[in-house]
RNA sequence: GCGGGUGUGGCGGAAUUGGUAGACGCGACGGACUCAAAAUCCGUUUCUUUUUAGAGUGUCGGUUCGAGUCCGACCACCUGCACCA
């Protein structure tokens, strides 16, 4: 008999060091085998790995090991997304340098990942805060700058006046800075931008080719890019109302509703509004008020539509007698379209709200298709935005909105205003240029110098890298680089006079926009090795959380295109296949003192009622809802604890079983124990039979009881392989449970069975080991070894499936009567329709049901099903 | 408000894509082993009815010999965007 208890602690350590010593997972770029690149989104080194990492990296590892077993040369690297705010926050709170904090976290997390037994090529590891990595990023920046795809412009930002920094929208809570609690101000600030908008159309069209991306992600990106087609219409100012401007340009997607217009509204930061405010203090006061209110998202959601009526009127493009008032309004965005709209309240909800607030006319011009009377149709509270027929619109009457759109466009393109056509066709995008300037220390310095005489001067490549200074302090708010006078002071590369460095660093999304390319040749003295990058990209399988559906994935797609343009990569789409995995969630517990950690409680179950009590005092604890693991709810389970008590294979198997990978998985103590029992069960079965099967030649048997074992082995092998291809890990797991249930009785009596059965069992075990290996690699090695297997499972090929085994001469097919299953029919596989019909009609249960009636119809789907209709 | 998705036993979920609904796991219950417990092994476990049988995949309707799967309307929950003209 074999060893009773499998000890993952010793076995896993052992195999991890064997793999490392024999360098099985090291990849060569010049390996002749077909390439396969598996990548999981690299982690931020926050301190310790969490269950989300465990799930993500387990899935990627299954794919990597499975592809490797199928003969691919697999690139499966790991690195660290290591720049960012938390390091600086730690520096402020704990007086530790961000660099030290970050590298210490990396060291801890690297060991944690290693204890999971991941098949990674650690020789390619890097962190984005390594000088070597951000040096190459600065090179890329300069190349992109040279191509004119980086610009400097002013934009409105959320400014925290206490911390002296720009805040991202997510960092503004109820109009206040999330750290300082200070009221956030809107400020105009000069910032660096990547010109993502140059690629709006390409980024949109590229989505159509990404067939192996989830539709959800593609839709989200499509909406984010937000293409719309419309018309820019120029409205002439009524004569004498204002000196300088002649007209107001308005962007609209509904020019068909032009006769429903009742006002023009312009943004508070529209040039015309500013001009007017110079001589109108009431307007200036209104603008100031809007500026203060418009920061927080909560405020925007509930904000009333407010407007300020100016002295101006415009003339209707089709009627010189028709004057329309101009408002400055708080809901108009300056950076979309032209920063001005014409309001048609009857057919736009937002315009209707505004019109109702300021008593403006509501004139319906599109009649719903069901035959309403044009004279009685009116709009009061709900704008009508559907299709219909035009009314009250002079020459447009009777047209569809689409035809009216064309008619208005054609006419206005011909009339001229101030030397230009009065309208032009226009395509708008929601996508904005990507602002990358951050007033932070812990990021990649932007390699630019400001000279009073020469202006903006990029740092010459020979002077790169611009290295972050070490001697910085975090005892005051703001950017330490900005007050580091020695580092800031620099000679102008052009005129050698005293100049100053850019003190902003790049958004950390830049770091993660090209790391996948760097992994293909991290040793290279240039950002990429064009041969290596062309060989490996695109990433064949990218795996990560849905939270990156827009920003990271869009920036990476943009960056690939830009890098292609500057000659660093050859692909436009970096990720061929994308998989977004679900979260790890856990029950929550609380008592009158607040949230309680799962480690502090005991759960009992009786007659379907689960109750929780505190371990320490026995006091009852309320069982709450299932939530994403978070520190605040105290429902976090530390992977370290689980790895220590159950081992990596148990955790990995748990992560893959039950829940489909794209959905959330519920972590439960009972579930882990169940998985661990299965690990032990496999070990008991294999080690128990090992003595009998060690010297047996594995072989498929085609008949008898041993034939059943062989059949199950080959069917399972095929199914599990197909499941892995589709990343349907939960199904693979279920099939393996089933398979083990089938072979376990024979295995338990392996000492007493015939030679044929032994040969079949031995092959079944070899298959089992191959199939569990991607998911539970340590257990697989241990089982392989005890069976006397040579080599490492990590180096073995996926077994070959024999289709001859699965074809039976006799089939069992279900027989339905009126669509409800009533029994089975066993019949030859190749039986023809007439034979089947005859056999069915002589079945007892069919005869009984029929009585003396004659069936109306008999549906026979060969090898599938029979349905007798009475 | 707009977009996307999901809905199947006590629970997580299967279902060859229109063909045996509930695989597999968790939990529960029963039995064997044990002085006993744990572990292990063997059963039972959608609901109603004692059985026969019937009902059943969020609700209502439709197509079909046959619907969890397709079509229409609705309900609930999750999620993304949100004054985008």
């Amino acid at each position: 008999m074999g060893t009773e208890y499998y000890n993952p602690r010793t076995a896993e350590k052992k195999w991890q060091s064997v793999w490392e010593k024999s360098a099985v997972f090291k990849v060569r770029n010049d390996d002749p085998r077909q390439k396969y690149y598996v990548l999981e989104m690299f982690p931020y080194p926050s301190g310790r790995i969490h269950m989300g990492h465990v799930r993500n990296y387990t899935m990627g590892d299954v794919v990597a090991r499975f592809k490797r077993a199928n003969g691919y040369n697999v690139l499966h690297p790991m690195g660290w997304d290591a720049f960012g705010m938390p390091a600086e926050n730690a520096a402020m709170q704990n007086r530790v340098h961000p660099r030290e904090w970050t590298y210490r976290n990396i060291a801890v997390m690297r060991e944690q990942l290693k204890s999971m037994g991941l098949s990674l090529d650690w020789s390619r590891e890097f962190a984005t805060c390594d000088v070597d990595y951000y040096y190459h990023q600065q090179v890329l920046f300069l190349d992109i700058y040279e191509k004119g795809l980086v610009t400097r412009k002013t934009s409105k930002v959320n400014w925290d006046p206490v911390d002296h920094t720009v805040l991202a929208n997510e960092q503004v809570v109820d109009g206040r800075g999330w750290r300082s609690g200070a009221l956030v101000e809107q400020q105009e600030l000069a910032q660096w931008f990547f010109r993502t908008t140059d690629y709006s159309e390409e980024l949109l069209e590229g989505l159509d080719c990404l067939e192996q991306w989830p539709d959800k992600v593609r839709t989200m990106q499509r909406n984010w890019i937000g293409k719309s087609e419309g018309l820019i219409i120029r409205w002439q100012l009524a004569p004498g109302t204002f000196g300088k401007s002649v007209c107001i340009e308005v962007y609209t997607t509904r020019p068909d509703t032009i006769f429903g217009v009742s006002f023009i509204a312009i943004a508070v930061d529209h040039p015309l509004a500013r001009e007017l405010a110079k001589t109108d203090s009431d307007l200036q006061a209104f603008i100031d008020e809007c500026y203060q209110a418009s920061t927080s998202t909560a405020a925007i959601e509930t904000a009333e539509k407010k407007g300020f009526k100016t002295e101006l009127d415009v003339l209707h493009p089709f009627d010189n007698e028709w004057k329309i008032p101009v408002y400055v309004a708080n809901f108009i965005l300056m950076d979309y379209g032209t920063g001005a709209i014409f309001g048609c309240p009857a057919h736009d909800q937002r315009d209707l709200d505004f019109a109702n607030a300021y008593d403006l006319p509501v004139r319906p011009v599109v009649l719903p298709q069901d035959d309403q009377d044009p004279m009685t149709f009116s709009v009061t509270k709900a704008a009508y935005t559907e299709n219909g027929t035009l009314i009250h619109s002079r020459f447009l009457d009777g047209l569809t909105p689409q035809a009216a759109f064309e008619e208005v466009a054609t006419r206005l393109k011909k009339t001229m205003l101030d030397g230009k056509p009065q309208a032009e066709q226009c395509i708008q995008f929601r996508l904005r240029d990507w602002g990358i300037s951050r007033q932070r220390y812990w990021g990649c310095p932007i390699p630019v110098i400001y000279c009073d005489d020469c202006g903006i001067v990029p740092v010459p490549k020979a002077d790169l890298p611009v290295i972050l200074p070490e001697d910085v302090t975090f005892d005051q708010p703001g950017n330490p680089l900005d007050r580091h006078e020695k580092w800031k002071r620099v000679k102008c590369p052009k005129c050698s006079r005293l100049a100053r460095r850019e003190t902003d660093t790049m958004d950390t999304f830049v770091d993660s926009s090209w790391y996948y390319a760097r992994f293909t040749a991290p040793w290279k003295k240039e950002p990429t090795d064009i041969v290596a990058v062309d060989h490996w990209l695109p990433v064949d399988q990218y795996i990560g959380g849905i939270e990156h559906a827009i920003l990271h994935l869009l920036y990476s797609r943009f960056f690939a295109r830009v890098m292609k343009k500057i000659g660093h990569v050859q692909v436009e789409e970096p990720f061929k296949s994308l998989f977004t995995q679900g979260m790890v969630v856990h029950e929550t517990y609380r008592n009158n003192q607040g949230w309680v950690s799962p480690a502090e409680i005991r759960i009992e179950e009786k007659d379907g009622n689960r109750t929780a009590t505190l371990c320490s005092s026995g006091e009852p604890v309320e069982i709450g809802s299932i939530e994403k693991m978070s520190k605040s709810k105290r429902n976090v389970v530390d992977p370290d604890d689980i790895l220590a008590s159950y081992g990596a294979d148990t955790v990995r198997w748990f992560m893959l079983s039950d829940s489909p990978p794209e959905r959330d998985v519920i972590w439960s103590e009972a579930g882990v124990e169940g998985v661990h029992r299965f690990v032990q069960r496999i070990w008991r079965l294999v080690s128990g039979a090992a003595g009998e099967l060690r010297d047996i030649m594995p072989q498929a048997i085609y008949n008898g009881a041993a034939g059943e074992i062989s059949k199950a082995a080959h069917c399972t092998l095929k199914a599990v392989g197909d499941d892995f291809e589709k990343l349907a890990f939960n199904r693979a797991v279920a099939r393996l449970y089933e398979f083990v249930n089938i072979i376990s009785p024979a295995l338990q009596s392996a000492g007493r069975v015939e030679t044929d059965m032994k040969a079949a069992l031995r092959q079944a075990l070899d298959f089992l080991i191959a199939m569990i290996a991607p998911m539970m690699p340590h257990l697989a090695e241990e089982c392989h070894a005890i069976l006397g297997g040579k080599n490492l499972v990590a180096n073995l090929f996926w077994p070959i499936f024999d289709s001859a085994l699965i074809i039976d001469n006799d089939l069992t097919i279900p027989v339905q009567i009126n669509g409800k299953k009533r029994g089975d029919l066993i019949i030859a596989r190749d039986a023809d329709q007439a034979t089947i019909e005859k056999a069915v009609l002589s079945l007892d249960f069919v005869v009984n049901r029929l009585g003396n009636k004659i069936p109306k119809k008999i549906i026979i789907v060969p090898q599938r099903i029979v349905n007798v209709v009475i």
Side-chain angles (χ1 to χ4, degrees):
Chain A
M1 291 305 279
T3 322
E4 279 297 318
Y5 177 74
Y6 170 67
N7 185 344
R9 258 178 299 246
T10 50
E12 292 183 354
K13 276 269 169 307
K14 176 177 73 187
W15 293 111
Q16 282 160 21
S17 80
V18 170
W19 293 329
E20 196 168 333
K21 273 181 200 141
S22 50
V24 271
F25 305 127
K26 199 164 153 71
V27 205
R28 296 177 58 107
N29 285 357
D30 59 0
D31 191 302
R33 290 174 297 172
Q34 206 184 335
K35 72 98 183 180
Y36 195 89
Y37 188 176
V38 198
L39 185 66
E40 300 97 61
M41 291 178 185
F42 66 163
Y44 177 78
S46 55
R48 311 179 65 74
I49 61 168
H50 54 69
M51 284 296 181
H53 292 130
V54 174
R55 194 178 191 201
N56 193 190
Y57 301 135
T58 299
M59 288 181 194
D61 201 46
V62 175
V63 175
R65 286 178 181 266
F66 177 65
K67 287 290 172 182
R68 198 175 287 116
N70 278 281
Y72 288 88
N73 183 37
V74 175
L75 175 56
H76 188 211
M78 181 56 71
W80 309 94
D81 188 13
F83 273 137
M85 292 266 298
E88 282 183 68
N89 293 339
M92 284 183 259
Q93 280 153 20
N94 309 325
R95 299 187 161 272
V96 55
H97 194 279
R99 148 193 290 285
E100 194 190 327
W101 184 84
T102 303
Y103 281 102
R104 209 156 59 195
N105 288 347
I106 288 175
V108 171
M109 291 172 74
R110 185 191 297 117
E111 285 316 302
Q112 290 186 300
L113 290 185
K114 284 193 171 174
S115 74
M116 283 179 61
L118 302 170
S119 64
L120 292 163
D121 180 354
W122 283 102
S123 73
R124 293 174 187 244
E125 176 193 1
F126 59 77
T128 55
C129 64
D130 293 345
V131 176
D132 183 65
Y133 186 82
Y134 73 71
Y135 158 58
H136 292 296
Q137 189 160 305
Q138 290 171 345
V139 172
L140 288 175
F141 179 92
L142 293 180
D143 288 348
I144 298 169
Y145 181 84
E146 210 165 284
K147 289 276 176 195
L149 289 167
V150 188
T151 54
R152 189 167 168 81
K153 57 186 178 187
T154 57
S155 84
K156 253 199 285 184
V157 294
N158 303 309
W159 181 258
D160 185 321
V162 171
D163 276 358
H164 296 285
T165 188
V166 168
L167 297 176
N169 284 331
E170 307 83 61
Q171 295 165 339
V172 182
V173 183
D174 293 331
R176 291 170 181 276
W178 68 296
R179 271 185 58 84
S180 66
L183 271 176
V184 168
E185 297 165 1
Q186 294 283 294
Q187 270 206 1
E188 294 271 349
L189 212 67
Q191 306 227 85
W192 289 101
F193 287 84
F194 283 133
R195 301 181 55 137
T196 34
T197 52
D198 283 15
Y199 288 82
S200 303
E201 192 72 59
E202 272 190 55
L203 288 167
L204 183 66
E205 279 171 13
L207 290 171
D208 295 336
C209 309
L210 295 173
E211 281 157 21
Q212 295 177 58
W213 279 40
D215 285 339
K216 181 182 177 155
V217 175
R218 290 201 283 172
T219 313
M220 279 163 75
Q221 292 214 352
R222 226 169 254 133
N223 293 341
W224 188 262
I225 295 168
K227 182 178 179 176
S228 82
E229 290 176 57
L231 219 55
I232 287 182
I233 300 177
R234 314 174 77 225
W235 300 65
Q236 189 178 1
L237 287 171
T241 48
F242 193 66
K244 290 181 184 169
S245 304
V246 177
C247 65
I248 297 177
E249 288 192 345
V250 156
Y251 174 72
T252 179
T253 54
R254 293 294 304 274
D256 53 301
T257 63
I258 198 158
F259 288 102
V261 61
S262 54
F263 64 94
I264 297 282
I266 63 175
V268 290
D269 40 357
H270 193 281
L272 186 58
R274 292 186 172 184
E275 192 63 36
L276 289 169
K278 284 181 187 166
T279 55
D280 185 339
S281 57
D282 289 345
L283 176 56
Q284 187 59 52
F286 174 77
I287 291 173
D288 290 344
E289 187 191 325
C290 291
Y291 259 75
Q292 275 180 4
S294 67
T295 46
S296 82
T297 43
I300 289 169
E301 273 165 33
T302 52
E304 270 179 68
K305 308 232 169 332
K306 282 188 194 155
F308 183 94
K309 190 172 184 307
T310 67
E311 302 290 295
L312 303 184
D313 287 315
V314 294
L315 302 181
H316 195 279
F318 294 114
D319 186 347
N320 275 333
E321 304 295 305
W322 187 350
K323 284 186 180 175
I324 297 142
V326 177
Y327 283 75
V328 176
N330 65 346
F331 63 94
I332 309 299
L333 306 172
M334 188 58 223
D335 46 4
Y336 185 80
T338 59
I341 62 152
F342 83 74
C344 175
H347 304 292
D348 183 296
Q349 190 59 46
R350 186 202 45 204
D351 294 349
L352 183 60
D353 294 344
F354 188 79
N356 285 340
Y358 291 92
D359 281 327
L360 292 158
V362 181
R363 209 176 290 110
V365 289
V366 179
L367 186 69
Q369 264 144 342
D370 39 13
D371 53 349
Q372 291 239 23
D373 181 352
M375 300 319 286
T376 57
F377 176 61
S378 73
V379 170
T380 50
K381 277 186 183 154
Y384 179 74
T385 55
E386 305 293 304
N387 222 330
T389 310
L390 275 112
I391 52 169
H392 308 316
S393 295
R394 308 188 191 184
F395 55 88
L396 299 175
D397 280 355
L399 295 179
T400 61
Q402 296 75 30
F405 184 120
E406 292 306 321
E407 183 61 26
V408 169
T410 314
R411 289 190 183 221
L412 289 182
K413 271 193 241 175
K414 285 182 199 151
T415 52
M416 300 299 278
L417 186 64
D418 196 23
K420 285 186 195 164
Q422 201 163 3
E424 55 188 302
Q425 225 107 15
C426 174
I427 292 171
Q428 282 288 332
F429 292 94
R430 268 191 38 174
L431 187 71
R432 300 291 138 79
D433 280 336
W434 173 15
I436 58 155
S437 297
R438 297 290 180 274
Q439 294 68 39
R440 314 284 344 168
Y441 166 76
W442 195 232
C444 172
I446 297 173
V448 163
I449 291 166
Y450 301 102
C451 171
D452 286 340
D453 297 315
C454 311
I456 295 168
V457 183
V459 176
K461 276 193 188 169
D463 294 350
L464 292 183
V466 177
I467 299 177
L468 286 171
E470 282 293 307
D471 52 336
V472 283
T473 52
F474 294 89
D475 48 359
Q476 335 167 24
N479 181 357
L481 292 178
D482 203 33
R483 48 174 192 267
H484 195 300
E485 292 303 327
K486 210 172 89 200
W487 183 81
K488 258 168 76 174
R489 227 177 297 138
V490 66
K491 270 188 186 172
C492 170
K494 271 191 187 164
C495 67
S496 295
R497 261 183 288 229
L498 190 62
R500 60 189 172 82
R501 287 192 188 284
E502 168 67 87
T503 57
D504 286 353
T505 51
M506 290 185 214
D507 181 5
T508 54
F509 274 113
V510 180
D511 312 343
S512 54
S513 290
W514 70 285
Y515 77 110
Y516 50 85
R518 185 69 189 161
F519 274 137
T520 65
W523 48 79
K524 190 74 181 173
K525 298 292 176 219
E526 285 91 48
T528 64
D529 174 336
I530 198 72
V531 177
V533 91
D534 192 33
H535 172 69
W536 287 109
L537 289 183
V539 172
D540 293 277
Q541 184 65 61
Y542 196 37
I543 308 176
I546 187 75
E547 66 273 20
H548 294 112
I550 298 177
L551 294 184
H552 163 59
L553 290 166
L554 193 65
Y555 292 150
S556 295
R557 295 180 59 229
F558 163 74
F559 231 77
R561 284 167 169 78
V562 170
M563 285 176 76
K564 187 183 176 189
K565 186 157 184 177
I566 58 181
H568 292 292
V569 303
Q570 309 247 20
V571 295
E572 292 187 335
E573 290 297 344
F575 312 120
K576 185 175 161 202
S577 181
L578 171 72
F579 190 84
T580 53
Q581 110 249 9
M583 295 183 298
V584 182
V585 294
H586 194 284
E587 231 169 22
T588 52
Y589 313 99
R590 64 189 310 171
N591 61 11
N592 45 23
Q593 264 122 62
W595 302 102
V596 179
S597 144
E600 297 168 46
I601 58 151
R602 184 182 304 125
I603 292 191
E604 270 160 36
E605 181 151 356
K606 239 182 198 168
D607 306 323
N609 291 319
R610 299 173 69 241
T611 52
T613 49
L614 272 180
C615 290
S616 51
S617 63
E619 285 171 58
V621 174
E622 190 194 326
I623 300 179
S625 58
I626 294 170
E627 309 264 4
K628 180 183 181 175
M629 285 190 182
S630 73
K631 279 181 193 155
S632 61
K633 301 238 165 84
R634 300 200 65 201
N635 62 340
V636 176
V637 176
D638 191 331
D640 255 10
D641 298 342
I642 306 297
L643 285 165
S645 42
Y646 297 100
D649 287 339
T650 297
V651 183
R652 293 170 60 121
W653 185 263
F654 181 93
M655 285 301 179
L656 299 165
S657 54
D658 287 357
S659 288
E662 68 278 8
R663 278 201 227 169
D664 292 350
V665 63
I666 303 168
W667 183 270
S668 77
E669 198 62 22
V672 183
E673 275 165 20
V675 166
H676 191 67
R677 279 203 295 274
F678 183 65
V679 170
Q680 295 296 344
R681 185 176 170 208
I682 289 185
W683 176 246
R684 260 196 319 278
L685 288 172
V686 174
S687 62
E692 296 296 333
L693 302 179
R694 190 168 291 132
D695 302 317
I696 298 291
M697 192 66 185
Q699 200 190 327
I701 306 298
Y702 291 79
N703 50 48
E708 289 304 308
I709 299 281
S710 286
K711 185 178 161 189
H714 283 257
C715 286
T716 307
L717 178 75
K718 169 123 188 3
V720 167
D722 291 348
D723 289 338
F724 282 159
E725 288 291 352
K726 292 181 216 142
L727 311 187
F729 309 117
N730 58 321
R731 293 207 303 235
V733 164
R735 287 186 216 282
L736 284 166
Y737 275 119
E738 225 169 334
F739 180 51
V740 170
N741 286 342
I742 291 169
I743 62 172
S744 84
L747 268 181
Q748 283 171 292
S749 51
R752 288 168 277 126
V753 298
E754 292 168 16
T755 323
D756 267 8
M757 182 57 104
K758 285 187 181 174
L761 279 177
R762 178 57 210 257
Q763 185 175 57
L765 285 190
D766 286 349
F767 282 17
L768 178 66
I769 288 165
M771 289 187 284
I772 64 168
M775 302 188 271
M776 301 196 285
H778 312 87
L779 178 65
E781 295 286 4
E782 195 72 15
C783 290
H784 181 68
I786 201 173
L787 282 168
K790 305 279 182 302
N791 205 338
L792 286 168
V793 177
N795 278 327
L796 292 182
F797 280 105
W798 189 254
I800 292 162
F801 159 72
D802 180 357
S803 61
L805 267 163
I806 60 159
I807 294 168
D808 260 334
N809 288 331
D810 287 337
L811 280 181
T812 305
I813 54 176
V815 176
Q816 298 180 329
I817 292 170
N818 289 340
K820 193 89 192 165
K821 189 202 167 188
R822 296 298 171 188
D824 290 311
L825 172 70
I826 298 169
I827 196 145
R829 171 175 285 274
D830 52 3
D832 60 18
Q833 301 247 338
T835 318
I836 295 174
E837 184 171 330
K838 205 174 153 199
V840 165
L841 290 176
S842 60
L843 289 167
D844 284 350
F845 63 90
V846 176
V847 173
N848 287 342
R849 289 259 167 187
L850 269 177
N852 42 22
K853 281 178 273 181
I854 296 162
K856 282 190 198 136
K857 209 178 195 180
I858 299 179
I859 313 280
I860 296 170
V861 185
Q863 298 172 30
R864 259 288 160 75
I865 201 161
V866 175
N867 189 10
V868 181
V869 186
I870 302 175

